[in-house]
Amino acid sequence: MPQITPETYADRLARVQKAMKEFGLEAIVLEPGPAMVYLTGVRWGKSERTFAVVLPAKGAPVWVLPGFEEMRARELIRQGDEIHVWQEDESPYALIAAALKQRGVSAGRVGIDD
C-alpha cells in the first residue's frame, strides 16, 4: 500500500477548512476514528480518556490528549505541532475549549465527530 504524503494530508485539511467556511462552521473536533485518520493520518484507538484534535476553520490543528500518551502521540502526529496534554485531575474539555478560544472560536458553530 502506498504511503500517503504529508502534502496530501495538508491538502485534505485545507479542503475541509474550506468546506467548514461554506457550511458556517468555526471548527471541528474529532475523536479517534476514520475522519481523524483520513484528515491527519493519526490512527488511535477509542478510549474512555479523551484524545482529540481541534480543526479550526483557520489555522493549524490543536491536539488534546492524556499526558501519559504524549510520547507515543508525538511519534504519530504530523499535522499541527501544538499539543495540549491533560492529567488525570484535569478536564480535557477545558483544554478543548481553550484551544478553540486560542484559535479565535469563542462563538459560532463547532462540528463534533463521534
Side-chain angles (χ1 to χ4, degrees), residues 37-106:
V37 174
Y38 180 79
L39 293 170
T40 69
V42 173
R43 185 175 308 274
W44 199 269
K46 289 218 180 227
S47 167
E48 70 278 0
R49 292 182 175 88
T50 299
F51 183 102
V53 61
V54 176
L55 303 177
K58 294 182 286 192
V62 179
W63 296 86
V64 176
L65 50 105
F68 73 93
E69 297 282 19
E70 182 179 6
M71 286 178 46
R72 180 171 165 248
R74 285 187 183 274
E75 293 172 359
L76 300 174
I77 293 171
R78 300 285 179 258
Q79 299 298 318
D81 59 359
E82 189 167 336
I83 298 173
H84 298 234
V85 298
W86 59 274
Q87 303 303 325
E88 294 296 322
D89 62 337
E90 298 175 311
S91 168
Y93 308 111
L95 290 178
I96 290 171
L100 287 165
K101 189 173 183 180
Q102 179 183 21
R103 291 292 193 258
V105 180
S106 57

Side-chain angles (χ1 to χ4, degrees), residues 3 8 12 17 20 27 29 36 45 54 59 67 71 80 82 95 104:
Q3 193 75 296
T8 298
R12 289 175 180 179
Q17 286 177 319
M20 279 190 265
V29 179
M36 182 182 282
V54 176
M71 286 178 46
E82 189 167 336
L95 290 178

